[in-house]
């Protein structure tokens, strides 16, 4: 019976928002400590107004991500019997209704994309590419991003997404575009 009470509490949307906020604060705290010790600024990550050309790059990359993801899912579904493309991602916020949907929206579409892009693309990828070839930094960053999402079918999706987010970041130097792509992807998932 105690397990049931714990499950009830953990399934509350406000708990999911607190967990999302805490993990985001942890990631941003690591970034802040690094920036402080190295005398860098968060602006060094590429927070600048996007140009129309950069937005076009992001839109093309998003289309490329979507097509790539569909092809890979079709191939995995056809050739890997254990792969379950229908498995839902566990993002918390189960059973959110009414005003609780606002909490889910804030956690999934606003907080997570901002903190994850600052950490994974702005901090981790940017740091790794200084010492490693771009493709190695992209694969390591994308692999860690996929692992952070905890499910292997979701990990495949987030790995592919990460490669395209890195492409956009590398091509434009603008982190807002990666945040926008990530938020759009999460918004689509939130709506469905």
């Amino acid at each position: 019976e105690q397990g049931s009470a714990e499950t009830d509490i953990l399934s509350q949307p406000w708990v999911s928002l607190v967990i999302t906020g805490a993990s985001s604060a942890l990631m941003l705290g690591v970034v802040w400590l690094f920036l402080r010790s190295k005398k860098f600024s968060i602006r060094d990550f590429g927070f600048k107004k996007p140009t129309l050309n950069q937005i076009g790059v992001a839109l093309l990359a998003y289309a490329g991500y979507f097509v790539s993801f569909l092809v890979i899912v079709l191939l995995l579904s056809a050739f890997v019997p254990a792969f379950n493309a229908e498995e839902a991602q566990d993002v918390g916020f189960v059973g959110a209704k009414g005003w609780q949907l606002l909490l889910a929206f804030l956690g999934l579409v606003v907080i997570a994309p901002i903190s994850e892009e600052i950490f994974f693309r702005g901090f981790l990828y940017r740091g790794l590419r200084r010492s490693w070839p771009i493709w190695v930094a992209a694969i390591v960053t994308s692999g860690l991003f996929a692992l952070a999402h905890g499910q292997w079918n979701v990990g495949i999706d987030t790995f592919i997404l990460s490669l395209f987010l890195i492409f956009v970041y590398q091509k434009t130097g603008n982190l807002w575009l990666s945040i926008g792509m990530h938020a759009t992807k999460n918004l689509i998932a939130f709506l469905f």
Side-chain angles (χ1 to χ4, degrees):
E1 207 165 296
Q2 176 139 2
S4 175
E6 289 174 15
T7 302
D8 288 345
I9 289 172
L10 291 176
S11 68
Q12 295 295 318
W14 66 269
V15 173
S16 295
L17 184 63
V18 167
I19 292 168
T20 299
S23 64
S24 295
L26 179 63
M27 285 188 289
L28 294 177
V30 167
V31 172
W32 179 78
L33 287 172
F34 175 80
L35 292 174
R36 189 170 164 213
S37 72
K38 299 291 185 185
K39 306 279 192 262
F40 287 131
S41 165
I42 192 81
R43 281 183 240 116
D44 294 333
F45 287 177
F47 285 105
K48 53 190 171 189
K49 184 178 177 183
T51 65
L52 283 177
N53 189 36
Q54 290 175 339
I55 293 170
V57 167
L59 290 172
L60 286 173
Y62 195 83
Y65 149 72
F66 189 72
V67 169
S68 298
F69 173 69
L70 286 177
V71 168
I72 290 171
V73 165
L74 289 172
L75 289 171
L76 286 171
S77 296
F79 298 109
V80 180
F83 181 74
N84 180 5
E86 301 297 319
E87 182 182 3
Q89 182 177 359
D90 181 10
V91 293
F93 303 104
V94 177
K97 296 176 186 129
W99 67 271
Q100 296 171 337
L101 290 171
L102 178 61
L103 297 179
F105 178 84
L106 287 172
L108 300 173
V109 182
V110 179
I111 295 170
I114 292 171
S115 61
E116 289 176 2
E117 289 310 304
I118 289 171
F119 184 80
F120 284 100
R121 259 55 68 187
F123 173 67
L124 183 61
Y125 168 72
R126 189 172 172 275
L128 292 176
R129 76 167 191 221
R130 290 173 185 229
S131 303
W132 296 351
I134 289 173
W135 67 272
V136 174
I139 289 172
V140 169
T141 301
S142 298
L144 292 172
F145 185 63
L147 284 173
H149 285 80
Q151 293 170 255
W152 85 286
N153 66 321
V154 175
I156 291 167
D157 176 23
T158 54
F159 182 85
I160 297 165
L161 176 65
S162 178
L163 291 174
F164 281 92
L165 293 171
I166 287 169
F167 170 79
V168 168
Y169 184 56
Q170 182 67 37
K171 194 87 169 150
T172 67
N174 195 326
L175 197 59
W176 282 122
L177 295 166
S178 298
I179 291 170
M181 287 174 64
H182 190 153
T184 300
K185 193 244 187 258
N186 286 10
L187 175 64
I188 292 167
F190 171 79
L191 294 173
F192 287 99

